[in-house]
Amino acid sequence: MDAMFYVIPGLIMTVAFFVAYRVVRRSLQLRGAWNSGLTAEARCLRMFTTTHGGANDTSVRTTLHHVYEFTARDGRAVRFEEENGPATVVEGDIVTVYYAQGHEITATAQRPSPVKNAAGALAMVGFLGVIVVFCVGFMVTYHSMSLHI
């Protein structure tokens, strides 16, 4: 029974570390694409939304997705999907994409905004850090209280 008070916070911390890893990775990918200096004209192939929630009187969250395709400098056709793009971009529109060349091309249609990108990533990692600190504090407090019983 005591293991539950260590396993649950441990799982929460594992999820928090994974989400932090994904946030930092995406932030670095965006920065790399913006700093590479490589741009291309891409066509929006598809625009769609996904919704989450709504059951049992919860709020509904809608996410806008765009699928873009462009040709990289080395001649490869690149197709990628991006979330939370501008709602004004519709199927058939031509947009400028920023991408980083390599074995796997990373691209974005978001306009360069490194300060906003870094601030968002830092805020999310800070929030996840608070969750981890709370879980560690909970486990330490529970452990010290169980020793006194």
Side-chain angles (χ1 to χ4, degrees):
M1 185 67 172
D2 284 343
M4 181 180 69
F5 291 102
Y6 298 107
V7 171
I8 302 290
L11 289 174
I12 292 170
M13 290 188 323
T14 302
V15 169
F17 282 128
F18 177 73
V19 172
Y21 161 75
R22 295 290 303 218
V23 166
V24 170
R25 181 173 176 244
R26 181 62 182 154
S27 177
L28 292 175
Q29 285 177 336
L30 285 174
R31 193 176 86 185
W34 291 330
N35 290 339
S36 71
L38 299 173
T39 61
E41 299 253 316
R43 177 176 300 280
C44 178
L45 300 177
R46 185 169 179 233
M47 181 181 104
F48 63 97
T49 59
T50 56
T51 57
H52 304 283
N56 300 327
D57 294 330
T58 61
S59 63
V60 176
R61 193 185 83 192
T62 303
T63 304
L64 184 64
H65 301 262
H66 291 92
V67 178
Y68 299 104
E69 185 174 60
F70 68 97
T71 303
R73 281 200 179 151
D74 61 3
R76 285 189 279 178
V78 179
R79 184 179 290 186
F80 70 98
E81 178 183 328
E82 191 167 52
E83 293 181 0
N84 298 322
T88 56
V89 175
V90 294
E91 293 179 24
D93 284 355
I94 303 293
V95 298
T96 301
V97 294
Y98 304 87
Y99 68 98
Q101 196 84 353
H103 176 66
E104 187 176 313
I105 294 178
T106 57
T108 182
Q110 296 179 18
R111 296 198 183 280
S113 56
V115 173
K116 180 181 172 187
N117 178 40
L122 189 62
M124 185 60 135
V125 169
F127 174 72
L128 294 167
V130 168
I131 291 172
V132 168
V133 167
F134 176 79
C135 288
V136 169
F138 176 82
M139 291 182 341
V140 168
T141 303
Y142 179 77
H143 181 74
S144 66
M145 294 201 50
S146 67
L147 290 177
H148 296 295
I149 293 178

